[in-house]
């Protein structure tokens, strides 16, 4: 295990390691803060936290180029922060304020950034899968060399539209990476209670789509697998599937009684497999960083998140005239 | 430094809850992720975790306290200075500790069916949630062919706790958890109904039924006709419909008018617990596809209802919830909340409204509406859905065709605004129909 890690580490610079550490920690602290603001009633509605899954999006974003696109479900805060969207704008959307990415009209599940090629934020399970393939279609049509990262859950993987999409994506050799974030549960339903297929990525083989399973708690493993997937797509060979085995520590949304799993199960993941702790250990044991360095980083990230939280509360509610804005593009 | 721990909001619709149990006591050291307390919301019992590391300083609200308001201070914790989450203290209205909380657990509207002239009906109290569960359980006891399927209906006990206890009583053959495949499981349910079973298909919310709209309309609603009357589809599609609270455009839509448009479907939208139960029993027994539109905000409301368990309520019969001579207010489902509140305000202004609860939208009891309008000469409709091609616009056109000579004012349709539901709290409020919309509409039709 350590040997394998060291090998991978050999190819990873300490600058990269440190970046993964920072990016994952920012997502975690952001999500913890969002959880607090929800508890205080400042965030309403549904709010799905990404805590535990940070390595997935951070590892994959590290494989992306300028111009690549990404799309995901309602569990989207991590994806937005990882692709460089401003935590202030994301948090202000969570509190429903005018400076949020959707001017307060979208909320946690419906946020977008054209500038960062982030196409949402989708509240209907699996609806983003065909849309992601459509984005890839548009790039292929225009001979761009971009790929689209299309994220969805293990639960979403049972939706029929996913398979209609697989078929067409392969048929048309679309540059789309299907990333199944298998966090083992769809709300309260474990994977084993929703399917008998032994693996989710292998379902692509019915359509001729290659893929792989990846340890999603290990950001380096995600990065390595992501590189292969991206190279495959960019070279024009069509789609690729990554089933990333991950775990969410918090409830499905803020209102989840979590009776479907034991606290022990969660605690074990947290203490043995935590993606951030793993990198932290590498940084320290490899003498890339000192405890003091990391403490300093932690403080800076906390400040950034506190700033976003304060911003999200001082930004005003949207103007009432917003109610009738943005329904049609004016002609 | 000491930080207050506030009663958390644990669901979109929660504004108060019961502090069921403390897992810590004063002086305990807690780490992020440790369970502090168990909190009962309207939907579920949930554990509440610590976010900061520190020592519990004081517990202000003892366990077992009910109706603790969200954001009330329940405890305080001493934390190490640097990592303090300062915004914990920002912008939160602090409830004075130990303030006597008003116990306004409302029992809504007693009105026993005004049309079934039964006197001295024995009453009991029930929430809409329990009434729905009881209806399913009773029908499942009576008919082996009735079964329930949907996402999280079995082991999770229902995403909105409607199917609580059903798995235990009826087992996994008849209470079936499905994967998240609305299009797929709706088709399977319809096939089962064609095969002679009587499925109840729960949509976690009706927003997700849009993925299955093709199956519902093209398969369930039309096959009887297309088979020359051979193949009926005895199935119930049920679940919460309409806006909950702050869940944004994709999760807040009233589909009443959509489904009511389709020949071949029956469409039900109850308001009270008694109606929910009696109408759901009728729906399950009905040999046709029935769309049964519930409302999340009503689930937790308590009503008086007949104690007689076996009562079913026929489709196509509206209920007059309040009599009056000055104006007719027609509504259904959650719309009744606004209609009834408005009628109270109007009474104080000396305007007596007759409030009609449609209960079923297809078939629609136009007779009761017309009879009332012939008496009041004015009509206002109330619904949460969009204004274009709404239930109200159909009622309005019906009145023009069938009671034109009786109308002293144009019919006004109070609806939600013609916009996707915004997330921002202030805009959401603006987008929904309100009691004052109804009061204003009535004032304008009575020319006051
Ligand atoms: C079509 C549809 N059906 C049901 C829901 C309600 N719902 C929201 S998330 C969810 C579970 C999805 O699980 P998964 O795909 O594994 O993603 P995760 O939440 O684990 O990230 C369900 C059933 C929905 N939003 N859309
Ligand atoms: Mg999942």
């Amino acid at each position: 295990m350590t040997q394998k890690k060291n090998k991978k580490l050999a190819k990873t610079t300490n600058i990269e390691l440190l970046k993964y550490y920072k990016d994952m920690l920012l997502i975690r602290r952001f999500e913890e803060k969002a959880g607090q603001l929800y508890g205080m009633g400042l965030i309403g509605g549904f709010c799905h936290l990404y805590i535990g899954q940070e390595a997935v999006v951070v590892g994959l974003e590290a494989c992306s180029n300028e111009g690549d696109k990404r799309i995901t479900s309602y569990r989207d805060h991590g994806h937005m922060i990882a692709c460089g969207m401003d935590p202030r704008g994301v948090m202000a959307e969570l509190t429903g304020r005018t400076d949020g990415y959707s001017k307060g009209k979208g909320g946690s599940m419906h946020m977008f950034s054209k500038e960062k090629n982030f196409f949402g934020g989708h509240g209907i399970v699996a609806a983003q899968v065909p849309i992601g393939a459509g984005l890839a279609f548009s790039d292929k049509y225009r001979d761009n060399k971009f790929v689209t990262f299309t994220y969805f859950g293990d639960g979403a993987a049972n939706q029929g539209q996913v398979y209609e999409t697989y078929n067409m994506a392969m048929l048309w050799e679309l540059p789309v990476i299907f990333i199944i974030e298998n966090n083992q549960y769809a709300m309260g339903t474990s994977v084993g209670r929703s399917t008998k297929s032994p693996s989710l990525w292998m379902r692509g083989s019915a359509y001729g789509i290659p893929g792989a399973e990846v340890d999603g708690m290990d950001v380096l493993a995600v990065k390595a697998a992501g590189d292969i997937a991206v190279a495959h797509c960019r070279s024009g060979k069509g789609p690729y599937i990554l089933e990333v085995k991950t775990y969410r520590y918090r409830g499905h949304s803020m209102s989840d009684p979590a009776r479907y799993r034991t606290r022990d199960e969660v605690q074990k993941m947290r203490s043995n497999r935590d993606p951030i702790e793993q990198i932290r250990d590498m940084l320290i044991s490899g003498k890339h960083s000192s405890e003091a360095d990391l403490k300093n980083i932690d403080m800076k990230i906390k400040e950034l998140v506190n700033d976003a939280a304060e911003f999200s509360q001082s930004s005003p509610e949207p103007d009432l005239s917003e109610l009738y804005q943005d329904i049609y593009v004016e002609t | 430094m000491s930080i207050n721990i506030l009663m958390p909001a644990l669901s979109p619709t929660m504004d108060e809850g019961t502090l069921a149990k403390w897992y810590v006591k004063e002086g305990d050291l807690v780490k992020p992720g440790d369970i502090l307390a168990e909190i009962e919301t309207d939907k579920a019992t949930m554990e509440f975790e610590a976010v900061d590391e520190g020592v519990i300083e004081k517990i202000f609200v003892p366990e077992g306290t009910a109706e603790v308001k969200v954001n009330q201070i329940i405890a305080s914790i001493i934390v190490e200075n640097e990592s303090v989450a300062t915004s914990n203290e920002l912008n939160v209205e602090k409830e004075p500790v130990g303030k006597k909380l008003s116990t306004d657990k409302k029992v809504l509207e007693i009105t026993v069916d005004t049309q079934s002239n039964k006197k001295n009906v024995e009453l009991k109290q029930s929430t809409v949630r329990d009434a729905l569960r009881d209806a399913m359980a009773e029908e499942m006891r009576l008919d082996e062919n009735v079964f329930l399927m949907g996402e999280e209906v079995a082991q999770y006990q229902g995403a909105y706790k409607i199917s609580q206890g059903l798995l235990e009583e009826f087992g996994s053959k008849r209470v079936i958890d499905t994967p998240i495949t609305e299009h797929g499981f709706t088709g399977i349910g319809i096939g089962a109904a064609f095969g002679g079973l009587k499925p109840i298909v729960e949509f976690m919310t009706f927003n997700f039924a849009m993925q299955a709209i093709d199956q519902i309309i093209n398969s369930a609603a039309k096959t009887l006709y297309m088979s020359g009357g051979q193949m009926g589809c005895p199935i119930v599609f049920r679940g919460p419909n309409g806006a909950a609270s702050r869940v944004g455009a994709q999760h807040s839509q009233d589909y009443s008018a959509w489904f009511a448009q389709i020949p071949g479907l029956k469409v039900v939208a109850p308001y009270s617990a008694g109606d929910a139960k009696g109408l759901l029993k009728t729906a399950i027994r009905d040999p046709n596809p029935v769309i049964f539109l519930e409302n999340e905000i009503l689930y937790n409301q308590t009503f008086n209802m007949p104690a007689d368990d076996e009562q079913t309520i026929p489709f196509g019969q509206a209920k007059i919830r309040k009599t009056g001579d000055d104006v007719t207010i027609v509504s259904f489902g959650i719309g009744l909340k606004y209609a009834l509140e408005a009628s109270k305000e109007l009474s104080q202004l000396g305007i007596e409204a007759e409030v009609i609860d449609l209960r079923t939208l297809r078939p629609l009891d136009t007779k009761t509406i017309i009879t009332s309008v012939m008496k009041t000469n004015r009509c206002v409709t109330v619904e949460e859905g969009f204004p274009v091609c709404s239930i109200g616009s159909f009622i309005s056109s019906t009145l023009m065709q069938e009671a034109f000579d009786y109308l002293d004012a144009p019919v006004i349709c109070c609806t939600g605004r013609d916009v996707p539901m915004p997330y921002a709290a202030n805009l959401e409020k603006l987008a929904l129909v309100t009691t004052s919309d109804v009061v204003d509409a009535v004032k304008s039709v009575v020319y006051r």
Side-chain angles (χ1 to χ4, degrees), chain B residues 183-303:
Chain B
H183 204 177
F185 71 69
T186 301
I188 289 172
I190 291 168
F194 287 154
L197 299 182
K198 298 178 122 187
I200 305 169
V201 174
E202 175 173 309
F203 289 118
M204 194 176 279
T205 76
F206 262 96
N207 303 287
F208 314 138
M210 294 302 97
Q211 295 213 334
I213 195 85
D214 169 67
Q215 289 288 358
I216 296 172
I217 292 172
N218 278 321
S219 307
K222 298 180 182 172
T223 303
L224 181 70
Y225 188 82
M226 295 187 298
S227 67
Q230 295 175 67
M231 239 164 68
C233 189
I235 192 167
V236 178
F237 298 105
R238 51 155 289 271
N241 170 60
S245 172
R246 307 288 312 282
V247 291
Q250 290 185 334
H251 286 72
S252 318
Q253 188 169 336
D254 173 8
Y255 291 94
S256 307
W258 282 52
F259 289 112
Q261 225 250 328
I262 304 300
L265 295 179
K266 295 191 178 180
V267 183
V268 187
Y271 166 62
S272 68
D275 283 355
K277 184 173 177 198
L279 288 164
L280 183 53
K281 286 167 73 78
T282 305
I284 295 167
R285 293 178 194 187
D286 198 287
N288 292 289
V290 179
I291 305 287
F292 197 90
L293 304 169
E294 300 158 12
N295 185 288
E296 186 190 336
I297 292 166
L298 292 177
Y299 279 153
N300 215 32
Q301 307 272 17
T302 303
F303 291 81

Side-chain angles (χ1 to χ4, degrees), chain B residues 284-432:
Chain B
I284 295 167
R285 293 178 194 187
D286 198 287
N288 292 289
V290 179
I291 305 287
F292 197 90
L293 304 169
E294 300 158 12
N295 185 288
E296 186 190 336
I297 292 166
L298 292 177
Y299 279 153
N300 215 32
Q301 307 272 17
T302 303
F303 291 81
N304 284 327
M305 61 180 276
D308 168 18
D309 269 345
E310 287 316 308
Q311 205 196 359
T312 58
I313 296 171
F315 289 169
Q317 284 187 17
K319 169 146 112 185
I320 297 173
R321 287 199 173 266
K322 176 184 171 301
T323 52
D325 290 334
D326 300 328
V327 60
T328 302
I329 304 179
V330 185
S331 190
F332 56 91
I334 185 119
L336 261 300
K337 179 172 174 292
Y338 310 112
L340 291 168
E341 279 171 15
S343 74
K344 277 194 197 119
E345 273 184 45
L346 291 162
S347 282
Q348 280 160 14
L349 303 174
I351 302 168
E352 289 306 330
E354 182 140 297
V355 180
I356 297 179
D357 178 356
L358 291 171
R359 306 199 290 190
T360 54
L361 302 175
R362 176 183 274 273
L364 187 69
D365 183 1
T366 46
K367 194 165 148 246
T368 296
I369 304 170
I370 291 167
T371 309
S372 173
V373 170
M374 284 165 71
K375 172 175 76 173
T376 64
N377 311 111
R378 297 142 211 279
C379 182
V380 166
T381 68
V382 186
E383 71 198 284
E384 202 181 64
F386 299 129
V388 179
C389 303
S390 61
I391 299 288
S393 49
F394 178 69
I395 290 172
S396 164
S397 86
T398 303
L399 287 172
M400 287 224 279
Q401 289 169 51
E402 305 198 20
F404 189 73
D405 291 339
Y406 293 90
L407 284 172
D408 285 348
V411 176
I412 295 186
C413 301
C414 298
T415 64
R417 303 294 177 266
D418 199 13
V419 303
M421 187 63 75
Y423 166 71
N426 64 333
L427 296 184
E428 185 184 61
K429 226 158 105 194
L430 209 58
L432 288 163

Side-chain angles (χ1 to χ4, degrees), chain A residues 33 36 38-40 44-45 94 104 110 123-124 158-159 161 186-189 193 255 259 263 299 302 318, chain B residues 8-10 33 35 45-46 51 71 82-83 87 152 155 177 180-182 211 246 250-251 417 419 423-424 426:
Chain A
K33 180 60 75 180
Q36 284 178 358
Y38 191 95
M40 293 157 71
L94 297 184
H110 315 292
I124 304 297
N158 290 318
Q159 281 276 18
Q161 56 186 323
M187 283 186 71
T189 303
R193 292 208 305 117
S255 37
R259 297 278 175 227
R263 288 194 67 79
M299 289 294 289
K302 257 189 196 152
Chain B
L10 295 170
I35 317 172
T45 303
M46 299 212 281
V51 198
N71 276 333
E82 42 107 359
S83 67
S87 61
E152 310 289 358
Q155 293 194 13
D177 279 328
I180 316 167
T181 56
E182 279 79 4
Q211 295 213 334
R246 307 288 312 282
Q250 290 185 334
H251 286 72
R417 303 294 177 266
V419 303
Y423 166 71
N426 64 333

Side-chain angles (χ1 to χ4, degrees), chain A residues 154 183 185-186:
Chain A
D154 46 282
N183 61 10
Y185 293 93

